[in-house]
Amino acid sequence: MSLKSKGELTSRSVVSQKWTFLLCLGCFCAGMLFTNRYVYQIFIHILKGCCLWDLINWKVVRHDSKDIFGEVFKTHNAIQTLDKTISNLEMELAAARAAQESILSGSPLSEDLKKTESSGKRRYLMVVGINTAFSSRKRRDSVRATWMLQGEKRKRLEEEKGIIMRFVIGHSATSGGILDRAIEAEDRKHGDFMRLVIPVYHVFLLLLTLYLLHICSDHVEGYLELSAKTKIYFATAVSLWDADFYVKVDDDVHVNIATLGQTLVRHRSKPRVYIGCMKSGPVLNQKGVRYHEPEYWKFGEAGNRYFRHATGQLYAISKDLAAYISINQHVLHKYANEDVSLGSWFIGLDVEHIDDRRLCCGTPPDCEWKAQAGNICVASFDWTCSGICRSADRIKEVHRRCGEGENALWSATF
């Protein structure tokens, strides 16, 4: 082969490699381009369907691969604008509802149970949400066998005393999977669950956010961690039931329901009430320890303590605070620890913190001695376990020694 022909072959080979590289790069950019356009088209369709297109005033134009990150930035801003718009509309709607109730009711509610004149909803004393998990079937059964009434008695409790009790749980990562089917079967048997569902527009915002975050991060936290679950619980409960108080309790805590009701009734006339065992624990910045606080730097120098907040085993808030959480849930920050998150949401508000130590008694002999002295505890658990240690096995003994008795519930007046 001549030098000339060898040179031509080498030149062709080089040209071929260059074009191969450019072709691969072009395919990659085209894939990114069409993927982004597909997401944008979905976003536009939803906005038009919700009549929010003019509010956001966002225009998608033809772009090449150099504009991808600019479009991502625009999309992020559009999400923030939509989120703010939704929050504003919800606040205006809540204000309108409150004004309508005030106008139509004409007079304050009486002490006995009745339906709210403006909304047609029945007025309840309290909604008790029992935080549980898919793996906690034995705990739930032990609660049903002790302080949570079942069947007709539970319905009677709702009708006569205005007390709602439900186990609170979300959905599994694989919707409709074996875990969800097990809960559905359990609910068909007992009818005592409240399933937490993410609103449709939250799902869309979440999916789009996860898509954008995928570009710059390989870690996405679960949506229903405890702080988020707490927000969704209060938002769901306040939309389902019109009650004076909304209570959250863990499924490994023993509760005397009549004593809880009598405790809350004393604060019914007060606005913006936050009731629990108030504490101010240390901010733990060491990784790997229990209750580690990733955002420890926000609380000042090392060794500082949290602001006062109710311990997470049991706490109660008045309806106006539950409504506040519901309206502003999109912008309320979530810390690693659920009880800290709840306390942080009320900072800056005119909220009355009520520290009642009967909401955090120890297990026998502590709660037993107090009951014998006439000071029955609202809730009992072991601090060392953040609940009753081995609660599925021990809660019946706690109930026997510290329980108020079923007659106390039916004879109580709220």
Side-chain angles (χ1 to χ4, degrees), residues 97-107 116-119:
R97 284 175 176 169
Q100 185 185 33
E101 287 186 9
S102 177
I103 293 172
L104 294 179
S105 62
S107 59
T116 306
E117 293 178 359
S118 59
S119 63

Side-chain angles (χ1 to χ4, degrees), residues 39-207:
V39 174
Y40 296 155
Q41 288 170 2
I42 295 175
F43 192 51
I44 294 168
H45 179 73
I46 292 179
L47 293 180
K48 286 182 177 178
C50 297
C51 301
L52 293 172
W53 179 256
D54 292 333
L55 292 175
I56 293 182
N57 193 24
W58 177 46
K59 183 178 180 182
V60 178
V61 297
R62 187 180 181 86
H63 55 81
D64 55 29
S65 60
K66 294 181 180 179
D67 296 328
I68 288 176
F69 287 101
E71 293 297 336
V72 167
F73 181 73
K74 288 184 192 177
T75 306
H76 180 67
N77 288 339
I79 292 172
Q80 291 180 326
T81 304
L82 177 60
D83 198 33
K84 184 177 180 180
T85 301
I86 292 172
S87 296
N88 289 338
L89 290 174
E90 285 183 334
M91 285 189 285
E92 292 176 7
L93 179 61
R97 284 175 176 169
Q100 185 185 33
E101 287 186 9
S102 177
I103 293 172
L104 294 179
S105 62
S107 59
L109 288 167
S110 60
E111 293 297 321
D112 56 334
L113 296 170
K114 68 176 186 179
K115 292 187 176 181
T116 306
E117 293 178 359
S118 59
S119 63
K121 281 188 176 182
R122 178 174 180 171
R123 187 76 173 193
Y124 294 92
L125 170 63
M126 61 181 175
V127 176
V128 181
I130 308 166
N131 189 41
T132 191
F134 289 104
S135 59
S136 299
R137 174 63 187 265
K138 289 184 178 180
R139 286 186 180 181
R140 290 192 292 273
D141 286 341
S142 67
V143 169
R144 293 182 180 114
T146 53
W147 59 267
M148 183 182 188
L149 298 181
Q150 291 296 293
E152 292 301 320
K153 288 184 178 180
R154 183 167 55 82
K155 293 179 181 179
R156 179 186 167 195
L157 185 67
E158 295 177 3
E159 295 171 358
E160 295 184 11
K161 303 297 181 181
I163 298 175
I164 304 289
M165 291 191 287
R166 296 289 189 276
F167 287 107
V168 179
I169 195 168
H171 292 265
S172 66
T174 55
S175 180
I178 187 171
L179 295 177
D180 287 313
R181 292 199 301 271
I183 292 295
E184 289 166 3
E186 191 177 341
D187 193 28
R188 284 194 295 270
K189 180 179 180 181
H190 298 284
D192 54 5
F193 278 94
M194 181 171 72
R195 303 298 298 274
L196 301 181
V197 181
I198 305 173
V200 174
Y201 60 86
H202 283 189
V203 174
F204 173 72
L205 291 176
L206 176 65
L207 292 176

Side-chain angles (χ1 to χ4, degrees), residues 294-338:
E295 298 180 88
Y296 61 88
W297 61 273
K298 291 185 178 180
F299 298 91
E301 301 300 326
N304 279 4
R305 305 179 74 84
Y306 288 114
F307 41 80
R308 287 283 175 182
H309 61 278
T311 186
Q313 285 79 6
L314 186 148
Y315 48 73
I317 60 176
S318 53
K319 181 183 178 179
D320 40 15
L321 292 183
Y324 171 81
I325 293 173
S326 176
I327 294 168
N328 297 285
Q329 59 182 301
H330 323 295
V331 293
L332 294 177
H333 184 69
K334 303 186 297 292
Y335 288 100
N337 299 304
E338 159 237 347

